[in-house]
Amino acid sequence: MKFRLVLFLLVAAFAGCTNTKIEKKEIIRKVKVAAVETGEPILKSEFSGIIREDRENNLAFRVAGPVKAIYAKEGSFVKKGDLIAEIDPRDYQVQVDVARAQYEQVKSETGRVSEMYNRKSIAGIDYDKAVSGEKMVAAQLQHAENQLRDTKLFAPFSGYVQHINFEKGEMINAGMTFATLISLNTYKIEVDIPALLFVRRNDFTAFTCQNNESGDEELPLILTSFTMKADNNQLYKLYLNLDPQLNKKLAPGMNVKVVIYYKNQAEQSFSIPVEALFYKDGNTYVWIFNPESSVVNKRRVEPEALTGNGNIRITTGLTGNEKVVVAGVNVLKENQKVVLLETAGKTNIGGLL
């Protein structure tokens, strides 16, 4: 009897266990949120640029010979027309003397032939030969004189001597670069921009640049030109001018931060931290935090371009009064309950306490 009672109690207990549902504990994740910011009528994008000299020329002699003298030094300023260097002119002076003697002789002979032709003492063909001969030796004299003048190298414009590649007494051939001259009347700044911004070039309103030497001061730039064909990285190059007098500490070769300002084409746009975006099935989404229910909901958005302060511009999908999740976006689920992370205090650096 006791055995049957015990068996009955065991069966009842087992049946009760099988009908009991095991409830799973809901996971509540901690998230960090940020408010959606309203877009501005004038947008800006920042890029890295480099300062270039206004003009750079490689100076070369048009004749060959040993360097006789160098009148400029590397780093020195020269004015347009200043003598930079010269080649030993002795051989070229001899050529001029020979060519001049030949010219004087032929010229005298042509004068005698001309008198005979006027008296009809010689045929016209003989006269034509004499005149042609005079023109030929005149051209040879001109060529010799040009070569003599080319033994001197003058500055084609005012600027600074960047490099001198030869020393006094060294032999130099025609066309070899003797020195490099740069002009600093205007600084040129080159910057590469993506195609997404290049197609909006008609909306550009202003350009500025900053450098560690200029601090927070934004120096104005003037757009001069741009390339109409992208490079292999799908980037277009912009060329801008900077007045060197605005900051005399700047120099060619320095890196600068270039800021491009342009009109906002959207009727209304917003910006959010780029960390708020996540991607699924080829679309871009954000998690919208509902403060009343403390749950998150997925919403599709259309991003446009970075704003330069860690945010990205959103053209569609937001109304402006939302809060989006910016940390832990890849582990959340639709309608999941969350709790906000507390803001770190001054004595709780990093929110570790």
Side-chain angles (χ1 to χ4, degrees):
M1 187 68 179
K2 292 182 179 179
F3 175 75
R4 292 180 178 177
L5 180 60
V6 173
L7 181 61
F8 174 77
L9 293 174
L10 289 174
V11 172
F14 178 76
C17 292
T18 56
N19 292 330
T20 302
K21 293 183 179 179
I22 301 176
E23 296 183 359
K24 293 183 179 180
K25 186 177 180 180
E26 183 180 5
I27 299 177
I28 301 178
R29 297 191 180 276
K30 293 183 178 182
V31 296
K32 182 180 178 181
V33 299
V36 175
E37 298 180 7
T38 304
E40 299 294 334
I42 297 296
L43 307 175
K44 69 176 183 178
S45 295
E46 298 177 355
F47 302 92
S48 177
I50 186 169
I51 299 177
R52 301 290 188 189
E53 60 278 356
D54 174 39
R55 183 178 177 185
E56 178 176 338
N57 272 23
N58 292 325
L59 308 183
F61 288 98
R62 300 183 65 178
V63 293
V67 177
K68 177 184 178 182
I70 301 175
Y71 303 102
K73 297 180 180 180
E74 289 188 351
S76 62
F77 178 80
V78 294
K79 296 181 180 180
K80 181 178 180 180
D82 284 354
L83 181 60
I84 294 178
E86 66 175 316
I87 288 175
D88 189 342
R90 290 177 297 178
D91 293 342
Y92 298 99
Q93 183 64 59
V94 170
Q95 293 179 9
V96 170
D97 294 340
V98 171
R100 181 173 289 114
Q102 291 176 341
Y103 172 74
E104 294 296 337
Q105 180 182 0
V106 173
K107 182 179 180 181
S108 176
E109 181 66 22
T110 303
R112 186 180 64 84
V113 172
S114 179
E115 291 181 3
M116 295 176 64
Y117 176 74
N118 292 334
R119 294 196 303 265
K120 301 185 183 299
S121 300
I122 60 172
I125 189 171
D126 294 328
Y127 171 77
D128 292 338
K129 287 181 180 180
V131 172
S132 298
E134 181 181 351
K135 291 181 179 180
M136 182 177 65
V137 293
Q140 292 174 346
L141 175 59
Q142 182 65 53
H143 176 67
E145 290 176 340
N146 289 340
Q147 285 193 316
L148 180 61
R149 281 192 293 268
D150 289 338
T151 59
K152 294 183 178 181
L153 186 63
F154 298 93
F157 55 85
S158 299
Y160 292 86
V161 179
Q162 183 72 2
H163 299 292
I164 294 179
N165 302 319
F166 289 84
E167 295 182 358
K168 180 180 178 180
E170 287 187 317
M171 190 71 182
I172 184 171
N173 291 325
M176 295 181 65
T177 300
F178 175 80
T180 302
L181 185 65
I182 62 173
S183 171
L184 303 182
N185 291 330
T186 301
Y187 288 156
K188 291 183 177 180
I189 296 181
E190 301 176 4
V191 61
D192 295 319
I193 64 172
L196 187 65
L197 185 59
F198 180 76
V199 296
R200 300 187 58 180
R201 58 191 179 277
N202 292 332
D203 294 328
F204 293 165
T205 59
F207 308 86
T208 63
C209 73
Q210 288 177 292
N211 178 271
N212 293 334
E213 297 295 337
S214 63
D216 295 331
E217 181 185 8
E218 291 192 3
L219 305 176
L221 303 175
I222 299 176
L223 177 66
T224 58
S225 61
F226 44 76
T227 58
M228 292 300 297
K229 182 179 178 181
D231 60 16
N232 294 333
N233 296 319
Q234 289 299 297
L235 297 175
Y236 294 82
K237 191 175 294 293
L238 264 63
Y239 299 94
L240 306 111
N241 281 359
L242 170 66
D243 184 357
Q245 301 302 320
L246 295 177
N247 191 317
K248 295 184 178 181
K249 294 182 179 180
L250 297 179
M254 288 185 176
N255 292 321
V256 291
K257 179 178 70 175
V258 176
V259 183
I260 301 177
Y261 295 89
Y262 53 100
K263 299 177 184 178
N264 188 355
Q265 292 180 335
E267 295 182 359
Q268 189 175 25
S269 65
F270 308 95
S271 66
I272 59 175
V274 68
E275 296 85 1
L277 302 180
F278 67 96
Y279 307 92
K280 185 177 181 180
D281 300 330
N283 297 319
T284 306
Y285 298 89
V286 296
W287 291 110
I288 303 297
F289 172 73
N290 188 334
E292 296 180 358
S293 60
S294 296
V295 300
V296 293
N297 300 105
K298 180 175 62 176
R299 186 182 299 179
R300 183 178 173 181
V301 295
E302 291 292 337
E304 187 179 36
L306 295 174
T307 61
N309 57 355
N311 282 11
I312 190 168
R313 194 160 42 253
I314 304 297
T315 56
T316 59
L318 298 175
T319 61
N321 57 357
E322 303 97 336
K323 290 186 177 181
V324 295
V325 178
V326 296
V329 297
N330 294 316
V331 296
L332 297 177
K333 298 180 180 179
E334 184 70 15
N335 292 319
Q336 184 172 359
K337 198 173 186 64
V338 296
V339 61
L340 299 184
L341 285 171
E342 296 182 2
T343 304
K346 294 182 179 180
T347 59
N348 183 19
I349 305 301
L352 300 176
L353 301 180

